[in-house]
């Protein structure tokens, strides 16, 4: 009986989350069809959010994109974001777009993947870093890529088709198609104090 109760509660929560999501997406699409093109098959878990400034930003999310809980998009400074069809983002992923981010079709993203197409300016020693603005760039991810958990992808990176990136990598330079990237971190295990 208790198991049935929890199944019903979970199903009701999923229905409620989808209702809230559809309402929010409808409001985005009605605000500006030129700025928000989010396909009706888009599905998101709880706490999905889009933060956008009033500049000429653009977001296109194609069909059959699924994002899990706590997926965040921040877009500003005339940023352009495009997510291809059949993409999956696991829990706690974040896309931060001030320049251009283009994600191809059929990509899989593990938990805690972060994309940043910009970096802070910091050359002027007489100003706070927070007052110096940003250097913007671009990120382009091809088709059929698997990006492992805890990967960070930085600006001015192009990732080709059919790329696998292992957990914990920081991607700061471009990766050619059909590549596998791993984080060669050496684990030092000791049972005695030195």
């Amino acid at each position: 009986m208790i198991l049935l109760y929890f199944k019903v509660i979970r199903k009701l929560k999923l229905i409620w989350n989808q209702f809230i999501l559809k309402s929010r997406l409808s409001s985005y699409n009605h605000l500006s069809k030129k700025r928000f093109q989010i396909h009706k098959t888009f599905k998101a878990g709880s706490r999905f959010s889009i933060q956008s400034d009033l500049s000429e930003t653009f977001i296109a999310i194609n069909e059959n994109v699924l994002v899990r809980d706590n997926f965040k998009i921040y877009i500003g400074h005339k940023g352009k974001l495009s997510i291809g069809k059949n993409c999956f983002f696991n829990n706690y992923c974040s896309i931060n777009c001030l320049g251009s981010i283009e994600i191809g079709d059929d990509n899989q993203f593990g938990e805690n993947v972060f994309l940043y197409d910009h970096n802070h300016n910091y050359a002027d020693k007489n100003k706070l870093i927070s007052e110096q603005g940003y250097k913007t760039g671009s990120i382009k991810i091809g088709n059929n890529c698997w990006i492992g958990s805890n990967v960070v992808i930085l600006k001015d990176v192009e990732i080709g088709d059919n790329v696998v990136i292992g957990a914990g990598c920081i991607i700061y330079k471009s990766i050619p198609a059909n590549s596998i990237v791993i984080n060669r971190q050496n684990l030092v295990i000791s049972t005695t104090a030195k």
Side-chain angles (χ1 to χ4, degrees):
M1 185 69 173
I2 291 177
L3 185 61
L4 177 62
Y5 171 78
F6 283 115
K7 283 183 179 181
V8 169
I9 293 298
R10 184 165 189 242
K11 186 68 173 174
L12 289 173
K13 184 177 177 183
L14 288 172
I15 291 168
W16 177 251
N17 285 342
Q18 286 306 307
F19 172 76
I20 296 296
L21 175 66
K22 295 295 181 193
S23 299
R24 290 174 68 197
L25 294 179
S26 177
S27 68
Y28 289 135
N29 286 329
H30 287 308
L31 282 173
S32 176
K33 289 188 186 259
K34 292 179 182 176
R35 289 182 58 204
F36 298 100
Q37 296 177 2
I38 302 172
H39 197 273
K40 64 183 178 182
T41 58
F42 174 72
K43 292 183 182 172
S46 62
R47 295 175 295 282
F48 161 76
S49 71
I50 296 175
Q51 296 177 358
S52 176
D53 66 15
L54 297 175
S55 70
E56 297 172 20
T57 56
F58 174 75
I59 297 175
I61 300 177
N62 288 291
E63 64 264 24
N64 300 318
V65 172
L66 170 63
V67 301
R68 288 231 173 120
D69 296 345
N70 296 294
F71 181 81
K72 311 278 186 221
I73 294 173
Y74 173 74
I75 187 164
H77 295 266
K78 299 184 180 181
K80 308 281 186 261
L81 169 63
S82 173
I83 300 175
K85 62 184 179 182
N86 305 316
C87 288
F88 169 77
F89 293 83
N90 213 327
N91 300 313
Y92 297 97
C93 289
S94 175
I95 297 175
N96 299 272
C97 179
L98 301 182
S100 171
I101 297 179
E102 182 181 337
I103 299 170
D105 299 335
D106 304 301
N107 291 305
Q108 307 289 309
F109 294 81
E111 291 187 333
N112 298 307
V113 174
F114 300 106
L115 283 71
Y116 298 96
D117 69 354
H118 58 281
N119 197 357
H120 286 277
N121 289 319
Y122 52 86
D124 189 343
K125 304 277 189 249
N126 297 316
K127 281 186 170 181
L128 294 172
I129 293 172
S130 61
E131 296 173 348
Q132 295 184 47
Y134 301 96
K135 294 177 191 171
T136 60
S138 64
I139 295 173
K140 184 173 182 181
I141 299 174
N143 301 314
N144 190 40
C145 295
W146 175 26
I147 313 297
S149 295
N150 300 309
V151 169
V152 178
I153 301 174
L154 301 175
K155 75 179 190 74
D156 298 328
V157 163
E158 186 168 337
I159 297 171
D161 295 341
N162 310 308
V163 169
V164 175
I165 299 177
C169 292
I170 298 175
I171 306 301
Y172 59 91
K173 60 183 177 179
S174 293
I175 310 295
N178 305 305
S179 298
I180 298 172
V181 180
I182 60 171
N183 184 0
R184 281 238 170 176
Q185 205 174 34
N186 291 329
L187 295 177
V188 178
I189 300 172
S190 176
T191 57
T192 60
K194 291 188 180 187

